[in-house]
Amino acid sequence: MIHLTGDTHADWMSRLSSDVFPEGKGMTKGDYVIILGDFGIWQDGSSEQYRLNWLDEKPFTTLFLDGNHENFDRLYSDEFPIVPFAGGMAQRIRPSVYHLLRGEAYTLENKTFYVFGGASSHDIRDGILQKGDPRITIWKRDNAWGRTPYKLFRVEHESWWKQELPSESEITHGRETLDRVGWKVDYILTHCAPLEIQKMIDPEWTQTDALVDFLGEIYKNAEFAHWFFGHYHTEKNVTEKMHVMYKQIFRLC
């Protein structure tokens, strides 16, 4: 059994509680809930450890893609081991919580899933600031007091990481995996969407980058039954095969 949901931003205790997701009580560790990016590993503190342990104790196994709001200093460190998982490689966060890696293909419930996380942050209109920049204190204070328009900024290594976009080697690996499976899979799971699909969600959303271009290449050349993604904080069947998800928890199979 596999369920999908969109961005949790570290609030998986609300999303996957038994009250909200009663179906989880009837699942086993051989069943999966997949979060389509922005899972939300942030601080290495007692609160986060408690919430990760809570998730690990659920009856099912949780899998997640990375989005653009993850602590990549931790995800790309040696804190969490990379291990074989479901025909590919994944990062073990807890015994039943795994990070699905970019450009990997997995076999779950006899179906093939191609995964590629990441996305460009779009809430950074006022820039990426370095820790210690005095504007951080000023803008947070003024925003709280309502004296200035809301500032959209992020702080590097605190709330923004350059690894939100893939490296050339990750894209190369993603192509090599698609070559290995003949560019044919049952499902594609990403956080971001190809530009053509972004425009269907919002005609003014025309942000492009190396990841968006690569996803466009996949959209044009791959054979797949369905493609699910998050990031856009909405729920919509964009086409018969392209689906954006947010808070809904959908049973795939």
Side-chain angles (χ1 to χ4, degrees):
M1 189 184 307
I2 299 174
H3 287 73
L4 303 175
T5 191
D7 316 16
T8 55
H9 296 281
D11 191 21
W12 51 81
M13 290 182 69
S14 296
R15 184 77 55 87
L16 299 177
S17 70
S18 296
D19 290 339
V20 176
F21 183 51
E23 297 89 341
K25 293 184 289 187
M27 297 170 70
T28 71
K29 291 298 185 182
D31 299 316
Y32 303 99
V33 173
I34 304 177
I35 297 169
L36 298 169
D38 282 356
F39 174 71
I41 288 181
W42 292 99
Q43 308 277 331
D44 186 16
S46 59
S47 175
E48 181 183 275
Q49 298 304 315
Y50 172 80
R51 288 182 288 117
L52 284 172
N53 291 337
W54 177 92
L55 189 58
D56 188 44
E57 291 169 2
K58 301 301 285 183
F60 48 83
T61 294
T62 303
L63 312 176
F64 70 92
L65 289 61
D66 56 83
N68 54 298
H69 294 315
E70 317 289 1
N71 187 331
F72 287 100
D73 288 339
R74 295 181 65 196
L75 280 182
Y76 280 43
S77 72
D78 296 329
E79 179 180 356
F80 306 111
I82 295 175
V83 299
F85 177 80
M89 301 299 292
Q91 199 169 24
R92 187 174 63 225
I93 309 300
R94 288 291 186 275
S96 58
V97 180
Y98 288 84
H99 170 211
L100 302 180
L101 301 178
R102 296 173 180 177
E104 289 289 304
Y106 304 95
T107 301
L108 304 169
E109 298 285 349
N110 296 315
K111 300 293 185 181
T112 305
F113 292 77
Y114 178 79
V115 171
F116 210 102
S120 287
S121 293
H122 49 79
D123 48 0
I124 54 173
R125 179 188 65 205
D126 295 295
I128 304 298
L129 306 184
Q130 302 296 313
K131 288 184 179 181
D133 191 311
R135 289 174 293 180
I136 298 172
T137 301
I138 294 169
W139 286 354
K140 285 183 177 179
R141 180 198 66 198
D142 288 354
N143 287 341
W145 292 349
R147 300 193 310 190
T148 63
Y150 179 66
K151 292 289 185 180
L152 291 177
F153 70 96
R154 298 238 168 224
V155 181
E156 188 167 15
H157 298 294
E158 181 178 298
S159 57
W160 181 87
W161 289 262
K162 66 180 181 180
Q163 295 94 336
E164 66 178 26
L165 287 177
S167 64
E168 289 186 17
S169 62
E170 287 175 322
I171 291 177
T172 296
H173 173 65
R175 286 198 186 97
E176 290 173 346
T177 298
L178 287 167
D179 288 341
R180 177 168 55 82
V181 299
W183 289 72
K184 182 178 180 180
V185 294
D186 294 300
Y187 299 105
I188 296 176
L189 307 179
T190 62
H191 187 57
C192 187
L195 182 59
E196 181 176 343
I197 301 303
Q198 290 185 25
K199 289 182 177 180
M200 292 182 188
I201 298 171
D202 183 349
E204 297 185 1
W205 205 317
T206 58
Q207 184 172 337
T208 187
D209 50 51
L211 175 58
V212 170
D213 292 343
F214 178 52
L215 296 179
E217 178 184 342
I218 297 173
Y219 183 62
K220 179 180 178 180
N221 296 302
E223 183 178 344
F224 59 93
H226 291 278
W227 182 329
F228 296 90
F229 55 96
H231 189 44
Y232 304 96
H233 290 197
T234 188
E235 320 267 4
K236 185 177 183 180
N237 294 324
V238 186
T239 72
E240 291 184 357
K241 299 174 69 172
M242 303 292 294
H243 316 279
V244 57
M245 298 190 66
Y246 187 25
K247 295 184 178 181
Q248 176 188 7
I249 304 175
F250 168 69
R251 181 172 176 177
L252 181 62
C253 58

